[in-house]
Amino acid sequence: PQVLRLHFDLEDTVLISVLCVPPDLREIVFVIQSQSNSFHVRQAERRRADLLEQAQSLTEKPPVVLLLHNLSDNEGDWSILPLLPYLSQSFGKNSSWIVFLEEETNVKMTKLVQVLGKFDQNKEWFLGKPLHDEESTIIHHYAFAENPSVFKYPDFSAAWALSIPLVVRLANKVRDEPLKSDFTIDLKHEVALYIWENGKGQHLTAVPELCTEPDDSPQAQHCATTLRSLPPLCGEPVSADDVFVAVKTCKKFHSERVPVVKKTWEKDALFLEYYSDHADPSIPTINLGVPNTERGHCGKTFAILKRFLSDDVPKTNWLLIVDDDTLISLPRLQVLLSCYDPFEPVCLGERYGYGLSQGGYSYITGGGGMVFSREAVVRLLKSGCKCYSNDAPDDMVLGMCLNALGLPVTHSPLFHQARPEDYARDFLAHQVPVSFHKHWNIDPIAVFNKWLKDDLRTTTAGGLNKSTKTEL
């Protein structure tokens, strides 16, 4: 037990024993929020090996370290809530804490055990590094519109923890009240909302030792968790001549949105085509013979996939499909793609989900950019997958097809479906983003220059050096 020495006067010293015992390592279950793509499996295995190596130096009996993607065949596991009954049943009797972390989360095991020891494990606790919205945002369905900063939700990169009593109660709730068959957009916010239960449940308790500082930062000395300061060594960036870029547009945006692409990121693309409902040689745009639709664009996207495999365009290993109001850094994307094998079916971007608690599917949300390896496009089209209408939501139809084929959707938090102001400031501070989306109420060129103009040597908004902080 820790001992506190309280001084009442010069002569008297009272010793008080404080019964706040750190948990045994065997009482902690680590869940690495891993993915089934081979690169991410390797990253998660490294993290698991590091945790077990640290544990070995502290105790003979190691903690349980789970890789989330291995736990079941349920596609919805990554949304955490469907997983709670399993965690409760498997670990509810002999464990004290479930600690969730991401592949890139460094853990100082001794420090983490000390931190958890500050909290009574017999009570309900929801621990993490708090994020909050500066203004109400579409990605959170404009929740807490009157005072967006009042609601706190965890930055998953810093790790977050649930005490077993809370896990058991939430698991019973999941069993008794089926989860809504709805969209999963920003998981960390949605998990926190579920736990909060309209104010009747647990608020997030801020833990200063759960950090997103680089592990070599002087500010990280007090931290139990940190983020790596160097990217994984994945080799040279993918060459620009191995990425084909498809921009979806339509006649009404030729003069409004296309000029922004041309003034910002078009110059970094070697192979790029604009696809529209109207052929305009001044841009130039290509009419794929698919009428424009107000929403969905499924017909246009599938025409792009077919064109990518045809002899009409240069043969590349990677296809990037974006909207005409997507802002993207192609050099950063090329660095990111160096970690992935184009001969595997890779579908990469910001992952959303639909109906994940009830046999639904994951999909790459289109606005932030959808990246496909050639192998993924070949398998998609070979399967006979197609749109049920030209204006069906292309990203969701592709998600259904990938799910039916058993092909994984790979998430990167560096792609963003919304604008920078739609994300928590502290969340973006430890990223070097790849993309944002929408021109609404912003100057898109200024946003590009601030967040995405690429040199990989300038500093991020958080002041970190991009050459050492590219987060892959």
Side-chain angles (χ1 to χ4, degrees):
Q2 298 176 0
V3 174
L4 292 185
R5 194 177 290 268
L6 301 182
H7 295 276
F8 287 97
D9 54 40
L10 290 173
E11 279 81 34
D12 296 311
T13 301
V14 180
L15 297 180
I16 299 178
S17 175
V18 180
L19 296 173
C20 196
V21 184
D24 187 307
L25 263 180
R26 288 169 297 173
E27 296 171 39
I28 303 173
V29 176
F30 291 94
V31 179
I32 300 173
Q33 293 174 245
S34 57
Q35 303 188 68
S36 60
N37 171 271
S38 63
F39 165 66
H40 291 282
V41 171
R42 290 194 300 274
Q43 293 295 98
E45 291 285 7
R46 285 193 193 106
R47 179 62 53 217
R48 182 174 186 272
D50 175 66
L51 289 170
L52 293 175
E53 189 178 327
Q54 289 189 64
Q56 195 174 17
S57 66
L58 300 173
T59 179
E60 286 181 17
K61 295 184 179 175
V64 174
V65 182
L66 305 173
L67 301 190
L68 188 147
H69 78 278
N70 278 343
L71 295 183
S72 79
D73 293 327
N74 176 22
E75 172 60 26
D77 281 356
W78 67 265
S79 63
I80 304 297
L81 299 179
L83 200 59
L84 293 176
Y86 162 78
L87 294 174
S88 173
Q89 187 177 354
S90 302
F91 307 107
K93 291 187 171 60
N94 300 316
S95 302
S96 302
W97 295 94
I98 308 285
V99 176
F100 297 88
L101 62 150
E102 296 195 331
E103 296 161 13
E104 68 268 20
T105 311
N106 291 317
V107 176
K108 299 175 188 171
M109 190 77 79
T110 307
K111 189 86 175 170
L112 181 64
V113 170
Q114 289 171 352
V115 168
L116 293 177
K118 296 177 184 178
F119 300 92
D120 183 348
Q121 63 196 36
N122 298 308
K123 294 184 177 176
E124 294 189 2
W125 293 104
F126 174 28
L127 309 179
K129 178 190 176 182
L131 298 172
H132 67 272
D133 296 336
E134 304 289 331
E135 55 187 67
S136 64
T137 167
I138 188 169
I139 62 169
H140 298 153
H141 306 291
Y142 299 108
F144 306 96
E146 291 180 7
N147 183 7
S149 64
V150 73
F151 184 71
K152 307 297 192 290
Y153 54 100
D155 189 332
F156 282 178
S157 298
W160 55 289
L162 302 176
S163 63
I164 286 296
L166 180 56
V167 171
V168 170
R169 184 173 66 77
L170 292 174
N172 290 334
K173 185 185 173 193
V174 169
R175 285 192 202 99
D176 296 342
E177 306 165 28
L179 294 162
K180 289 179 188 170
S181 179
D182 204 354
F183 288 93
T184 300
I185 292 176
D186 185 12
L187 180 63
K188 53 192 179 295
H189 191 270
E190 288 153 31
V191 165
L193 271 179
Y194 187 83
I195 294 171
W196 182 66
E197 291 185 78
N198 290 316
K200 300 191 295 286
Q202 285 301 316
H203 295 258
L204 179 70
T205 298
V207 178
E209 294 88 352
L210 298 179
C211 309
T212 53
E213 301 290 340
D215 48 12
D216 55 0
S217 162
Q219 287 83 28
Q221 289 180 359
H222 77 285
C223 295
T225 61
T226 58
L227 290 179
R228 60 164 175 253
S229 56
L230 290 171
L233 296 171
C234 295
E236 290 297 310
V238 165
S239 171
D241 64 8
D242 211 13
V243 182
F244 186 84
V245 184
V247 183
K248 296 182 295 180
T249 188
C250 62
K251 186 177 181 181
K252 70 176 178 179
F253 293 132
H254 286 189
S255 59
E256 182 184 329
R257 294 180 179 178
V258 170
V260 173
V261 178
K262 289 188 171 291
K263 286 177 186 169
T264 53
W265 59 268
E266 184 199 77
K267 66 183 182 304
D268 292 319
L270 199 58
F271 303 131
L272 179 146
E273 287 183 343
Y274 294 91
Y275 299 111
S276 179
D277 55 341
H278 174 72
D280 181 346
S282 69
I283 293 176
T285 59
I286 294 169
N287 183 352
L288 291 170
V290 179
N292 187 54
T293 53
E294 282 299 311
R295 58 182 65 83
H297 314 300
C298 193
K300 186 183 289 181
T301 296
F302 272 77
I304 290 169
L305 294 176
K306 287 171 185 163
R307 184 172 173 84
F308 176 69
L309 296 185
S310 75
D311 295 330
D312 295 330
V313 298
K315 186 174 182 179
T316 64
N317 276 322
W318 296 102
L319 168 65
L320 166 67
I321 302 178
V322 294
D323 293 346
D324 51 10
D325 57 349
T326 302
L327 300 168
I328 192 163
S329 166
L330 293 180
R332 292 183 198 170
L333 176 62
Q334 288 162 234
V335 171
L336 180 63
L337 289 181
S338 70
C339 292
Y340 296 93
D341 182 350
F343 300 106
E344 293 179 8
V346 178
C347 306
L348 176 69
E350 184 178 18
R351 176 182 56 190
Y352 281 9
Y354 182 72
L356 290 176
S357 62
Q358 294 165 19
Y361 55 89
S362 306
Y363 63 98
I364 299 298
T365 180
M370 300 184 286
V371 182
F372 302 94
S373 64
R374 175 168 289 273
E375 178 63 19
V377 178
V378 166
R379 293 205 201 178
L380 272 167
L381 294 182
K382 200 173 177 182
S383 73
C385 171
K386 56 187 178 188
C387 306
Y388 51 83
S389 67
N390 277 339
D391 67 348
D394 53 353
D395 47 9
M396 295 181 75
V397 170
L398 286 166
M400 284 189 275
C401 295
L402 293 169
N403 188 53
L405 288 167
L407 299 182
V409 161
T410 300
H411 174 66
S412 169
L414 307 183
F415 295 78
H416 302 87
Q417 171 68 14
R419 310 161 304 158
E421 45 262 67
D422 291 312
Y423 298 87
R425 194 177 294 162
D426 285 351
F427 174 68
L428 293 181
H430 58 77
Q431 284 191 350
V432 181
V434 165
S435 72
F436 290 102
H437 178 229
K438 298 279 188 204
H439 293 176
W440 185 65
N441 276 1
I442 61 166
D443 174 351
I445 294 174
V447 167
F448 177 84
N449 288 337
K450 176 180 178 180
W451 292 94
L452 298 164
K453 192 168 184 178
D454 207 69
D455 15 277
L456 290 178
R457 285 174 293 282
T458 59
T459 56
T460 65
L464 298 168
N465 185 288
K466 286 184 185 172
S467 64
T468 62
K469 195 66 190 78
T470 307
E471 210 176 276
L472 296 176

